[in-house]
Amino acid sequence: MAGASLLMLLDDIASVLDDVAAMTKVAARKTAGVLGDDLAVNAEKVTGVRAQRELPVVWAVAVGSLKNKLILVPAALAVSLIAPWLIVPAMVLGGLYLCYEGFEKVYHSWILREPSRAAGAASEDIDVEAYEKAKIRGAVRTDFILSAEIIVLTLGVVAEQVFLTQALVLSAIALLMTVGVYGLVAGIVKLDDAGLLLLCRGGAGRWGALQRWFGQGMINFAPYLMRFLGVVGTIAMFMVGGGILVHSFHALDAWLRAAAAQLESVSVVGGLLAALTPTLGGVAVGLLAGALVLTVVTAAQRLRAD
């Protein structure tokens, strides 16, 4: 009898794990776009520090990201049980923050043409320790919003499942997301160092020459990659933040879908235009929201100063 009960228990555990694995795969596909944005944003966020401090900064942000998940996963489960209506307002606030942060960067770097803060990181006029702490705080804040978006999307996938499955899937996605994103971020920021290692390796013959050629290529490619990620990371803030706002307001979402349906009838490029409309619409909404929030914040700061 005890043996039969044990077998039944093991069968139940296997069934739950099978459900968790299946739901985790579905949730990973659902959140893949936000994960890509998360990677671009965080890779851009941790650049600009001294080469020998890059990995410690990435590690500090990764630890902060794990702490975010320790807050977000229980909070999401609790809200889904007690007050599910709070999820949308919280996501709207998070989306507005991302849009604000992205537009502030665009305003200072591209409109006011202020010098890059990253470029000045090595200057003796800057407190390097304070600069690194500010970088880490900013990256962890942004990670919190992006992580909340992924957790909410995952919660939507497992909404019909039992509580245990919800908790396990959310925990699995949170852990995989953190390890995957920050593992890639660490690899990206150390790309030039890996190239230097290959370039400095000895060895004669074609194999040694190939390693040195490849190392030089990695060194040359790294600055372009980081600049590209800086632009992509900024655009990603508008995509994610604007996308949150669009999906949170049914009328706006419906209008964009209707516009996409109309554009689909355009000959030759209709399908492409229809596919791009939701994304471009989200970016446009993100830019407008970011400009509005920055205007309000700037006005409030001036009033406080007076």
Side-chain angles (χ1 to χ4, degrees), residues 208-273:
L210 179 63
Q211 289 186 84
R212 289 188 289 274
W213 174 83
F214 192 69
Q216 184 63 59
M218 291 172 67
I219 293 172
N220 294 337
F221 175 67
Y224 294 102
L225 176 62
M226 298 315 300
R227 282 197 289 271
F228 172 75
L229 287 175
V231 174
V232 171
T234 302
I235 295 173
M237 289 182 184
F238 296 122
M239 286 177 62
V240 177
I244 291 172
L245 297 177
V246 168
H247 294 306
S248 299
F249 295 96
H250 178 72
L252 185 56
D253 190 25
W255 183 81
L256 280 177
R257 290 180 184 275
Q262 289 183 346
L263 288 172
E264 197 168 9
S265 61
V266 177
S267 59
V268 184
V269 295
L272 178 61
L273 291 175

Side-chain angles (χ1 to χ4, degrees), residues 7-300:
L7 288 175
M8 289 179 63
L9 176 61
L10 292 176
D11 183 65
D12 290 341
I13 293 173
S15 178
V16 169
L17 292 178
D18 186 58
D19 289 342
V20 168
M23 290 293 101
T24 301
K25 289 180 182 178
V26 174
R29 287 196 296 268
K30 183 85 171 177
T31 58
V34 184
L35 280 172
D37 295 339
D38 196 5
L39 173 61
V41 170
N42 282 292
E44 185 271 334
K45 278 284 185 181
V46 299
T47 57
V49 298
R50 294 170 297 169
Q52 65 270 29
R53 293 290 303 163
E54 286 173 339
L55 288 182
V57 168
V58 172
W59 173 252
V61 178
V63 171
S65 178
L66 281 174
K67 291 178 180 178
N68 286 341
K69 310 305 186 301
L70 289 175
I71 296 170
L72 287 168
V73 171
L77 291 169
V79 168
S80 68
L81 289 174
I82 300 169
W85 56 270
L86 280 175
I87 293 177
V88 173
M91 291 308 300
V92 168
L93 289 175
L96 286 173
Y97 174 78
L98 277 180
C99 296
Y100 161 73
E101 189 175 19
F103 194 83
E104 185 185 36
K105 179 180 176 182
V106 170
Y107 181 73
H108 286 286
S109 300
W110 298 351
I111 298 177
L112 296 183
R113 300 284 184 178
E114 292 181 355
S116 170
R117 298 173 190 177
S123 172
E124 293 181 359
D125 297 332
I126 289 181
D127 186 336
V128 176
E129 185 177 352
Y131 176 82
E132 286 185 5
K133 289 181 178 179
K135 272 279 188 180
I136 292 168
R137 285 195 300 270
V140 172
R141 280 197 304 268
T142 303
D143 173 271
F144 188 90
I145 305 301
L146 292 169
S147 297
E149 170 75 351
I150 291 170
I151 294 299
V152 169
L153 287 173
T154 303
L155 192 60
V157 171
V158 298
E160 303 301 322
Q161 302 296 314
V162 297
F163 181 81
L164 177 60
T165 301
Q166 290 182 2
L168 290 175
V169 171
L170 285 174
S171 300
I173 286 292
L175 184 60
L176 289 172
M177 178 179 63
T178 303
V179 173
V181 166
Y182 289 100
L184 286 172
V185 168
I188 289 170
V189 299
K190 299 307 289 183
L191 186 64
D192 52 350
D193 289 341
L196 182 62
L197 179 64
L198 289 175
L199 184 63
C200 295
R201 293 186 69 168
R206 293 182 179 179
W207 176 243
L210 179 63
Q211 289 186 84
R212 289 188 289 274
W213 174 83
F214 192 69
Q216 184 63 59
M218 291 172 67
I219 293 172
N220 294 337
F221 175 67
Y224 294 102
L225 176 62
M226 298 315 300
R227 282 197 289 271
F228 172 75
L229 287 175
V231 174
V232 171
T234 302
I235 295 173
M237 289 182 184
F238 296 122
M239 286 177 62
V240 177
I244 291 172
L245 297 177
V246 168
H247 294 306
S248 299
F249 295 96
H250 178 72
L252 185 56
D253 190 25
W255 183 81
L256 280 177
R257 290 180 184 275
Q262 289 183 346
L263 288 172
E264 197 168 9
S265 61
V266 177
S267 59
V268 184
V269 295
L272 178 61
L273 291 175
L276 290 176
T277 296
T279 300
L280 294 178
V283 172
V285 170
L287 280 166
L288 290 173
L292 179 61
V293 175
L294 180 61
T295 301
V296 172
V297 169
T298 303

